[in-house]
Amino acid sequence: MDPLIRSKVLMVVKIPRKLIKWWKMFSSLEQHELMQKLGTLTSLLDIAPRPDLVEAMLTYWDPQNLIFRFGECEMTPTLVEMSGLTRLSYIGKDMILLRDHSRTRFLSDLGLKDNKHLKCLEQSWISLDYLFARFGPQDSFDVFWDEFTTKAKWQRRRLEAFSLALLGLLGFPLDERHISTRLQSVVMVLFHEKQRKTVTVVPIILAELYRALSEARGGVRYFEGSNLLLQLWMMEHLHTASLLCPIDRALRDRVVCIEHRMKSPKFTYLVGVTAWIEFLGLRTNGNVLWAYLWLPLDDILVGCLMQPFLMLIGLKCVRPYTPVRVMRQLGRRQEEPPTLNLRRHIINFSKKAADEIKYVQYWNNAKRMKKTILVEDVGSPECTQEYLISLQSIPPGVSTPLPAQLRGRAVQTDDFEEASDQDPWDKLELIKSQLAGLTANVEQHGQYLFRVGLQDAGAHARAFIASIGVSLQGMLQSLSMTDSPGPSRSG
């Protein structure tokens, strides 16, 4: 990879060739059937990943409120945007509840006999090589005939196996290109003719994006959400209305459309994390496209009857969804949002969410907002004076460096409070990492101030000074929770 766009956060940086080869092995009818079930997720095979953009975005992510704060702009991926990008509907449909699959159950669902030697299934993952070898080539049944129950089942499961691989590698990726077997729950429902019409995978996509953003922001090395969808989401908000043409808006496959537009000579893009950080930090109300012009916004979900937010259930997490804070992205006037403490609603689990039934009830009683309050110009909607005043009470969004030392995958826990109960030495290491990041950030912004004019430098400095205060306050808070560890761990 080009060193200018190399990211220290691991993510999908190259589409696996074997997955592309597998896709090309299907007939046009089979590809059409896959697109009916997976929407434009199949078009992610043609995407050029931009890890530099995604890492720059991570430095602006607020994990407490699940929102990006670019300068004076608050934005976050929404259900309707993910639905529009993937062409997968979500309103009036049930959330899919994922479960772990035993080795025998997982293999049986794919028409395979039990295999005690597949130790990876005990850790709930399978490899692309394993699936491709058995379901990719037309003669794969003849090669592995003794592993299958019948040829008829092998034939029926070929599309399902590919869907599992695509979802596991591009939609919900794991480190080392492992494919989560929990996704088998999604695949089985999508290929069940009756159930497919009543369920949606969109909430899972968004919940896992929120989880990946917060974990990477906190120092987890691998981004376990779809960084491809995230970069498409961001780029579409950066293409202001004046740059778009009617033909562009009319194209059905938004993934292909955005990717082709990014390769057009009409558009030039930054290269490198630092360049993107500076660019995103200068976003204002006037230089972003708030609501996608091609997106149907007549009917949206904005919370539930019990509370002003929904709870989205992902693969192994629950995340609150608060569109009331980004109503301009939904083509509505932005009013001052209610003050919400989302921390206790941010939950990770190992097998299933403790209050799963309650979250499903929230979803089934979702509050819908009709088109009667759509603004005339959805690309540049209004906001109230009260909202602007409330926004001024918050320090402007400024890039905060990621921890200098990134760690492995986060430990799953059913209790969010227990996860935050760290060893004092770990907290000191975190503070050291924060100080190192702050030092690098000061140096980076100092260089930027020398390159810009006096007016821009003044505005940037005011925002940056406020961010330094926030960073130092966070370090002081960490210190206040840290007991004196003494000269040694054992002492």
Side-chain angles (χ1 to χ4, degrees):
M1 190 197 309
D2 189 327
L4 289 176
I5 63 172
R6 183 178 294 134
S7 171
K8 66 179 181 180
V9 178
L10 299 180
M11 62 186 79
V12 177
V13 296
K14 189 176 182 180
I15 310 301
R17 291 183 181 179
K18 193 167 288 186
L19 192 63
I20 298 173
K21 180 180 179 181
W22 193 352
W23 168 255
K24 292 179 179 179
M25 288 178 175
F26 292 119
S27 67
S28 57
L29 287 176
E30 289 172 324
Q31 289 182 353
H32 179 71
E33 183 178 351
L34 285 167
M35 288 187 286
Q36 281 188 319
K37 294 174 170 59
L38 299 174
T40 59
L41 291 176
T42 57
S43 298
L44 295 179
L45 292 166
D46 301 318
I47 293 297
R50 293 300 304 265
D52 53 342
L53 169 59
V54 173
E55 182 173 327
M57 293 171 64
L58 282 169
T59 67
Y60 289 96
W61 178 251
D62 177 358
Q64 301 297 325
N65 296 296
L66 305 183
I67 201 165
F68 288 108
R69 301 188 60 244
F70 304 120
E72 60 185 59
C73 301
E74 289 193 341
M75 310 178 79
T76 197
T78 63
L79 285 170
V80 66
E81 290 170 332
M82 289 297 111
S83 173
L85 286 171
T86 60
R87 290 189 61 80
L88 296 170
S89 57
Y90 72 103
I91 290 183
K93 298 198 172 187
D94 298 328
M95 286 192 291
I96 301 174
L97 305 178
L98 292 90
R99 296 289 185 264
D100 283 326
H101 291 257
S102 66
R103 182 188 69 243
T104 53
R105 171 71 184 278
F106 176 79
L107 294 173
S108 175
D109 288 341
L110 288 173
L112 289 160
K113 299 175 183 177
D114 190 18
N115 186 343
K116 296 180 180 180
H117 300 292
L118 283 174
K119 300 299 182 182
C120 59
L121 294 180
E122 297 176 4
Q123 302 173 33
S124 300
W125 66 270
I126 195 71
S127 70
L128 172 62
D129 290 340
Y130 178 87
L131 293 176
F132 176 79
R134 287 154 182 80
F135 295 96
Q138 290 290 342
D139 62 349
S140 55
F141 177 82
D142 297 330
V143 177
F144 296 97
W145 62 269
D146 57 334
E147 295 186 22
F148 288 93
T149 53
T150 66
K151 187 171 185 178
K153 285 189 176 181
W154 167 81
Q155 185 64 43
R156 289 199 303 269
R157 299 294 184 261
R158 289 185 67 235
L159 299 187
E160 296 181 22
F162 174 82
S163 300
L164 177 65
L166 186 138
L167 288 172
L169 294 171
L170 305 185
F172 308 93
L174 298 177
D175 198 1
E176 299 180 358
R177 289 186 174 176
H178 291 171
I179 298 169
S180 172
T181 56
R182 288 176 68 87
L183 291 168
Q184 183 70 354
S185 300
V186 177
V187 173
M188 291 179 65
V189 170
L190 292 180
F191 279 82
H192 190 286
E193 194 58 35
K194 291 184 179 180
Q195 290 184 0
R196 179 173 65 87
K197 299 177 181 178
T198 63
V199 297
T200 175
V201 72
V202 176
I204 305 176
I205 293 174
L206 192 55
E208 290 302 313
L209 259 183
Y210 287 163
R211 179 176 71 88
L213 284 163
S214 297
E215 289 187 350
R217 171 69 268 183
V220 174
R221 187 166 178 78
Y222 196 86
F223 190 87
E224 293 188 351
S226 180
N227 57 288
L228 302 178
L229 284 175
L230 184 62
Q231 77 178 41
L232 291 168
W233 171 83
M234 186 75 261
M235 291 308 307
E236 192 69 345
H237 280 293
L238 299 179
H239 293 157
T240 53
S242 61
L243 297 175
L244 307 180
C245 65
I247 296 178
D248 181 277
R249 301 180 198 177
L251 293 176
R252 290 172 58 83
D253 191 330
R254 302 313 307 178
V255 172
V256 171
C257 173
I258 298 170
E259 182 66 10
H260 284 183
R261 192 193 310 139
M262 291 174 68
K263 295 177 180 178
S264 169
K266 180 180 178 181
F267 298 91
T268 56
Y269 295 101
L270 305 168
V271 175
V273 176
T274 302
W276 275 115
I277 286 175
E278 293 181 2
F279 177 83
L280 294 174
L282 297 175
R283 295 309 88 199
T284 66
N285 292 329
N287 59 19
V288 297
L289 180 68
W290 280 105
Y292 299 162
L293 302 181
W294 48 266
L295 191 64
L297 296 169
D298 294 352
D299 192 7
I300 59 173
L301 301 185
V302 291
C304 68
L305 301 178
M306 302 81 160
Q307 56 195 16
F309 57 89
L310 291 169
M311 300 294 287
L312 308 181
I313 303 176
L315 287 177
K316 289 193 174 183
C317 75
V318 179
R319 290 295 183 269
Y321 173 62
T322 56
V324 291
R325 195 155 178 168
V326 291
M327 294 304 291
R328 283 182 288 184
Q329 289 177 228
L330 307 177
R332 272 75 175 175
R333 186 175 67 164
Q334 180 65 59
E335 299 179 353
E336 182 180 1
T339 302
L340 300 172
N341 180 13
L342 301 180
R343 181 181 174 86
R344 65 190 183 92
H345 300 290
I346 298 175
I347 303 164
N348 292 338
F349 57 83
S350 56
K351 293 186 177 180
K352 61 177 290 187
D355 294 324
E356 182 179 84
I357 296 177
K358 182 171 67 175
Y359 304 145
V360 171
Q361 289 176 343
Y362 290 165
W363 178 263
N364 293 338
N365 290 278
K367 184 179 178 182
R368 297 166 71 165
M369 185 175 288
K370 300 294 185 177
K371 65 179 181 179
T372 51
I373 58 172
L374 267 174
V375 297
E376 185 174 345
D377 182 6
V378 296
S380 183
E382 307 167 350
C383 55
T384 64
Q385 189 66 27
E386 291 78 12
Y387 173 73
L388 292 176
I389 293 174
S390 68
L391 206 59
Q392 291 174 0
S393 65
I394 307 172
V398 177
S399 171
T400 305
L402 300 177
Q405 297 294 325
L406 299 182
R407 61 184 187 276
R409 189 175 303 136
V411 177
Q412 298 290 350
T413 174
D414 294 317
D415 190 336
F416 185 83
E417 296 300 328
E418 287 182 9
S420 63
D421 187 18
Q422 301 173 349
D423 181 87
W425 284 97
D426 293 335
K427 292 181 180 179
L428 287 177
E429 288 297 322
L430 174 62
I431 294 169
K432 286 171 61 178
S433 173
Q434 290 173 329
L435 282 171
L438 182 59
T439 302
N441 204 15
V442 169
E443 182 179 354
Q444 169 192 315
H445 285 274
Q447 295 172 356
Y448 172 76
L449 291 175
F450 279 109
R451 296 199 302 269
V452 299
L454 186 60
Q455 183 176 358
D456 289 340
H460 190 85
R462 285 194 296 273
F464 182 55
I465 290 171
S467 75
I468 292 178
V470 173
S471 299
L472 292 175
Q473 187 176 7
M475 294 179 202
L476 287 173
Q477 185 177 2
S478 298
L479 280 171
S480 67
M481 296 186 295
T482 305
D483 297 325
S484 177
S488 67
R489 287 181 181 263
S490 60

